[in-house]
Amino acid sequence: MANPAKISKNKDGSLNVPDHPIIPFIEGDGIGPDIWRATEAVIDAAVEKTYGGDRKIEWLELPVGEKGYAQTGNYLPQASLDTIETHVVAIKGPLTTPIGKGIRSLNVAIRQRLDLYACVRPVRYIETVPSPMKFPEKINMVVFRENTEDLYAGIEWASGSDEAVAVADFFKSKMGVDLPPASGIGIKPISPANTKRLVASAIGYALENGFSSVTLMHKGNIMKFTEGAFAQWGYEAARDQFADRTITEAQLYDRYDGKAPEGTVVIKDRIADMLFQQVLLRPEEYGVIATPNLNGDYISDALAAQVGGLGMAPGANIGDVCAVFEATHGTAPKYTGLDKVNPGSLILSGAMMLDYMGWKEAGSAVRDAVQAAVKARRVTYDLARQIEGAQEVKCSQFAAAIVGQMK
């Protein structure tokens, strides 16, 4: 086998993935070490069983979070960010945000400092997982959530602060806007460039993965120049970059009698509150959803609840230079070191990572084995207490059960 080497990117955005790639990982805090060990075992087994030893991942640990602080005095060392950037693909467990250390969120800081502008959250039902829905198998959606602006820009000032008073005075004197006394103030920026690159990535994903539509989720009936503009710029991105492969919903019915031409994606938009109804009542009508930051935060978690919760919800943060795949839940510190919690979110994020690398056979092997293990009812406590006849196993045992299901 060739020596380990970095993944690299071509000018067109495609990846050069060696047979023995070096992939950085961040173990994470709290339950992070437990779920990472489980994930590493499953991913390694999938690669080995799928490619018969011709391919293998060389894992490279990065000190971030509590381990980063212990080793370097910095919760988010620049060297770790540089390593992710130069290696193109990385995976991470959940991180604790240090209290009073000047960082609002380590997870958000990683996304912003690496310009990982698309938070990608696939939501698909795993048979046997308890769900509040009557027909959870109809849910197969992928949320593309903008990661760098809207509320994630973090532009706000506290009630009574000098900055808030100055902003309020500016609004009153220059804009004729009178704010309530002592208001806390936040700014919600949404830009054409950042919107268009997000929507373009969502459309590209839909085309590559066989989704029939991309829905632009927004609250443009109220916030016309931010959320409404998001929808307008989304349509422009489709028209300017994918003219021959996209049609609008109006065109679908006016020109094609409701039947989209083969190989095209329908671009449509929905008001945010209405879409929450639609994904409950008519989930089969929605595939990829592109959304500003806050809407995406809400709907991705709501969709995860429809298929059983965040414990089995994968996620990724993807930019033009690099991508970081991650568990979508928190650190659950009360379970630290107990080998107890469900590693499914990080394992399925690892499957997303394998897909992204072009190792889709291995990614499918992971998902199929997770489904088989759940169906066999050998699951961690969170699922065992809800699944009739289930056997509760530890985090590491669940990973072993998944590996045991691989063909």
Side-chain angles (χ1 to χ4, degrees):
M1 182 180 290
N3 291 328
K6 298 176 184 178
I7 296 172
S8 61
K9 267 202 171 185
N10 299 311
K11 289 183 179 180
D12 64 359
S14 61
L15 299 186
N16 290 312
V17 181
D19 288 337
H20 198 168
I22 303 168
I23 297 183
F25 73 92
I26 297 167
E27 191 175 56
D29 300 323
I31 59 172
D34 283 350
I35 66 172
W36 169 250
R37 284 190 292 269
T39 298
E40 183 180 8
V42 170
I43 295 175
D44 284 347
V47 171
E48 169 66 28
K49 290 177 182 290
T50 302
Y51 303 115
D54 292 335
R55 292 176 175 176
K56 186 178 186 297
I57 293 173
E58 181 76 19
W59 298 106
L60 173 64
E61 184 172 10
L62 302 182
V64 175
E66 293 172 356
K67 187 173 284 189
Y69 189 78
Q71 293 184 19
T72 70
N74 190 336
Y75 285 96
L76 186 55
Q78 184 61 43
S80 294
L81 293 173
D82 293 342
T83 300
I84 294 172
E85 194 167 62
T86 58
H87 287 71
V88 180
V89 172
I91 187 169
K92 62 176 282 295
L95 292 170
T96 298
T97 295
I99 304 300
K101 299 294 183 180
I103 299 177
R104 290 178 183 230
S105 165
L106 288 174
N107 297 309
V108 173
I110 290 170
R111 297 168 189 172
Q112 293 190 328
R113 287 170 64 175
L114 292 173
D115 197 26
L116 305 175
Y117 58 83
C119 178
V120 183
R121 296 275 297 274
V123 186
R124 190 169 188 174
Y125 180 60
I126 295 174
E127 187 179 347
T128 310
V129 173
S131 166
M133 304 295 291
K134 287 184 177 180
F135 304 107
E137 66 277 4
K138 293 182 178 181
I139 297 164
N140 181 18
M141 301 179 213
V142 183
V143 177
F144 273 68
R145 170 193 178 201
E146 209 290 323
N147 246 348
T148 66
E149 51 187 16
D150 193 6
L151 268 67
Y152 261 21
I155 305 171
E156 62 173 349
W157 300 278
S159 167
S161 66
D162 291 343
E163 294 85 354
V165 170
V167 172
D169 287 346
F170 173 81
F171 282 165
K172 184 173 183 177
S173 62
K174 300 295 185 182
M175 305 292 184
V177 175
D178 225 347
L179 297 178
S183 290
I185 301 171
I187 303 294
K188 175 189 176 75
I190 292 182
S191 68
N194 287 348
T195 295
K196 288 180 179 181
R197 67 179 184 175
L198 175 85
V199 174
S201 65
I203 295 171
Y205 182 94
L207 289 166
E208 183 178 342
N209 292 279
F211 286 91
S212 62
S213 68
V214 173
T215 302
L216 307 170
M217 178 186 185
H218 63 94
K219 191 63 178 171
N221 57 326
I222 302 299
M223 307 188 77
K224 301 183 184 302
F225 306 123
T226 49
E227 303 248 345
F230 176 91
Q232 174 191 329
W233 294 326
Y235 279 114
E236 290 175 5
R239 183 192 65 214
D240 296 342
Q241 300 179 51
F242 302 91
D244 59 339
R245 302 195 67 187
T246 60
I247 60 173
T248 66
E249 194 171 28
Q251 291 169 339
L252 174 67
Y253 294 101
D254 292 345
R255 298 183 187 177
Y256 303 104
D257 196 28
K259 297 180 181 179
E262 187 174 351
T264 62
V265 167
V266 178
I267 310 300
K268 52 191 176 183
D269 71 280
R270 297 289 185 270
I271 301 298
D273 43 332
M274 185 261 209
L275 188 59
F276 274 99
Q277 285 194 79
Q278 293 290 294
V279 297
L280 284 165
L281 300 175
R282 297 155 73 176
E284 65 276 8
E285 295 183 11
Y286 297 92
V288 175
I289 297 171
T291 167
N293 182 266
L294 184 61
N295 293 337
D297 199 8
Y298 292 155
I299 200 151
S300 58
D301 280 14
L303 285 171
Q306 289 180 222
V307 296
L310 288 175
M312 300 292 281
N317 297 285
I318 301 174
D320 292 332
V321 175
C322 57
V324 177
F325 297 81
E326 65 176 359
T328 58
H329 53 70
T331 57
K334 72 177 182 177
Y335 295 121
T336 298
L338 298 183
D339 192 23
K340 184 178 179 69
V341 300
N342 186 347
S345 176
L346 192 57
I347 288 172
L348 292 171
S349 297
M352 285 182 70
M353 181 189 75
L354 293 169
D355 290 345
Y356 184 78
M357 292 163 54
W359 294 11
K360 294 190 176 184
E361 305 89 351
S364 294
V366 172
R367 282 185 289 272
D368 291 346
V370 168
Q371 172 65 88
V374 173
K375 200 169 181 179
R377 290 174 163 78
R378 282 180 53 82
V379 292
T380 47
Y381 80 97
D382 57 314
L383 297 177
R385 64 189 178 188
Q386 302 179 71
I387 299 174
E388 186 176 353
Q391 177 188 356
E392 180 179 329
V393 297
K394 296 180 178 181
C395 173
S396 57
Q397 292 172 325
F398 184 47
I402 294 170
V403 172
Q405 294 288 347
M406 291 181 184
K407 307 300 182 184

